[in-house]
Amino acid sequence: MKQYIDQDKCPTYASKEKETKELINIALYILEAFGMPMDRTPRMLEKTAISFLACSDIKTLGDLKKAKDSKSNFALGTKEIIDFVNKHYGESISRGSYDYIKRHALDFLTPAEIVYPASSTKNTNDSTRGYSVNPFYAELVRSFGTKNWDKHVAIRLKDIEPLKDKLRRKRDLEKVEVKLPKGIKITLSTGKHNELQKNIIEEFLSVFGQKSEVLYLGDSTDKYLLLETEKLESLNFPKLSHEELPDIVAYSKKKNWLFLIEAVYTSGPIDELRYIQLEKLTEECTAEIIYVTAFLTRDKFRKFAKDIAWETEVWIADNPEHLIHFNGDKFFGSYKTK
């Protein structure tokens, strides 16, 4: 059986007795067989496992065959779960953390219906609301260790969509698909910042980008979602950390322009300090640098207008065919149609 928790990354787990560690590891093995995703932090995995064991009234390895469920009229409120794990699993969780247990352990078990509220009449935030194990899953826990247990579980669960698949589908539905100028498609995680990045690539660059190619694009979950290292190096663009890079870097071979674009939703326009930093970082670059700060709306722009650096551009997604030039007299002239 594989080890689910790295002791070096979870001191609370490392300090526990050998049998307790084994029981937690078995609980995680069982939960994974039930379709629970294991891509959580070591401490979150530990808390999920001990909360599941508490709701089953399992204190020792021998209790696995006696796992209780809602038919046993066994239920624990969140504060009672804390008392249980403090007593039997070497924890020292404050009773005031009951909401944390509900949101980070039970709320991970309840969508899969492995654990569910014993009563639907109490408020979901009521710390006395009891939680029980679903009898369907408790029966499988009690049979753990029997021959071909894994195959038996797979057969019993064949018509039940695993939680890990539900979560993956939800994440896929929430992803923001972006079409790059050359027709390549990539996906970003959901969020206003990434929606703005999509607008920059699909609208700003298509209108003002002079047939540019995106050479760098970061995402909240993948900081280097797109990175054309060789092409950037060919322009003498320095190798930078994610923190130093703007949100989007695009290059127009036609104009020999390199666009450094900041997508601003909460913070981070190209102000005078950021302008100086970027100018210093790109002083050896062979392309001409175009500095752009992008906003979703005019209202958002107004909040940062006083901070925008001179000799930069501003683009607003809800007015996509226009630019605001902070460039003195560079573009000064008549707008009269010839």
Side-chain angles (χ1 to χ4, degrees), residues 224-237:
Y224 297 95
L225 181 64
L226 174 66
L227 179 63
E228 299 286 357
T229 304
E230 291 184 6
K231 292 178 180 179
L232 286 168
E233 287 178 351
S234 71
L235 299 170
N236 281 350
F237 191 84

Side-chain angles (χ1 to χ4, degrees), residues 131-338:
Y131 290 85
S132 296
V133 175
N134 185 328
F136 175 84
Y137 290 100
E139 179 187 344
L140 295 173
V141 173
R142 289 191 289 267
S143 68
F144 179 77
T146 57
K147 187 178 180 180
N148 296 323
W149 182 82
D150 297 83
K151 291 182 179 179
H152 174 64
V153 170
I155 292 170
R156 292 293 303 276
L157 300 181
K158 66 181 177 63
D159 295 324
I160 299 175
E161 184 181 19
L163 180 62
K164 61 184 179 183
D165 290 350
K166 291 179 182 178
L167 293 175
R168 187 183 301 115
R169 190 178 71 252
K170 183 174 182 290
R171 284 193 292 265
D172 289 342
L173 288 171
E174 290 177 342
K175 284 182 178 178
V176 178
E177 187 177 86
V178 180
K179 296 178 183 178
L180 298 179
K182 288 191 174 182
I184 301 169
K185 293 181 181 180
I186 59 174
T187 53
L188 301 171
S189 56
T190 186
K192 292 293 185 182
H193 182 267
N194 285 342
E195 286 179 23
L196 177 55
Q197 293 199 119
K198 173 183 170 72
N199 290 333
I200 291 167
I201 292 169
E202 294 184 353
E203 298 187 54
F204 170 76
L205 290 179
S206 68
V207 176
F208 300 104
Q210 297 291 328
K211 298 183 179 180
S212 58
E213 176 185 2
V214 178
L215 301 185
Y216 168 77
L217 173 64
D219 178 70
S220 56
T221 58
D222 184 351
K223 304 302 183 183
Y224 297 95
L225 181 64
L226 174 66
L227 179 63
E228 299 286 357
T229 304
E230 291 184 6
K231 292 178 180 179
L232 286 168
E233 287 178 351
S234 71
L235 299 170
N236 281 350
F237 191 84
K239 186 176 181 179
L240 303 176
S241 67
H242 173 73
E243 289 73 22
E244 295 174 300
L245 283 163
D247 291 310
I248 297 171
V249 178
Y251 176 63
S252 167
K253 186 176 181 180
K254 175 184 175 182
K255 289 283 191 177
N256 193 31
W257 287 353
L258 192 68
F259 292 88
L260 305 186
I261 308 169
E262 294 285 12
V264 177
Y265 183 68
T266 55
S267 62
I270 299 179
D271 56 16
E272 294 295 346
L273 178 59
R274 181 65 169 147
Y275 179 87
I276 292 169
Q277 290 171 338
L278 291 172
E279 191 175 43
K280 180 68 176 174
L281 289 168
T282 58
E283 60 186 357
E284 301 295 328
C285 188
T286 58
E288 294 184 56
I289 308 299
I290 310 294
Y291 303 95
V292 182
T293 301
F295 300 91
L296 274 173
T297 64
R298 283 195 181 192
D299 285 343
K300 186 65 69 173
F301 162 63
R302 289 189 189 101
K303 293 180 180 179
F304 293 93
K306 62 182 176 58
D307 300 320
I308 304 297
W310 293 112
E311 299 185 3
T312 69
E313 318 294 328
V314 167
W315 180 78
I316 304 172
D318 63 5
N319 290 268
E321 295 180 354
H322 300 279
L323 283 176
I324 301 173
H325 305 287
F326 280 73
N327 287 341
D329 63 358
K330 183 175 179 181
F331 293 95
F332 183 73
S334 172
Y335 286 94
K336 184 177 180 180
T337 303
K338 292 183 180 181

Side-chain angles (χ1 to χ4, degrees), residues 17 25-26 37 48 65 69 91 103 145 161 163 196 290:
E17 298 291 333
N25 204 61
I26 288 172
T48 300
K65 297 187 182 303
D69 54 44
E91 293 285 337
R103 289 186 291 110
E161 184 181 19
L163 180 62
L196 177 55
I290 310 294

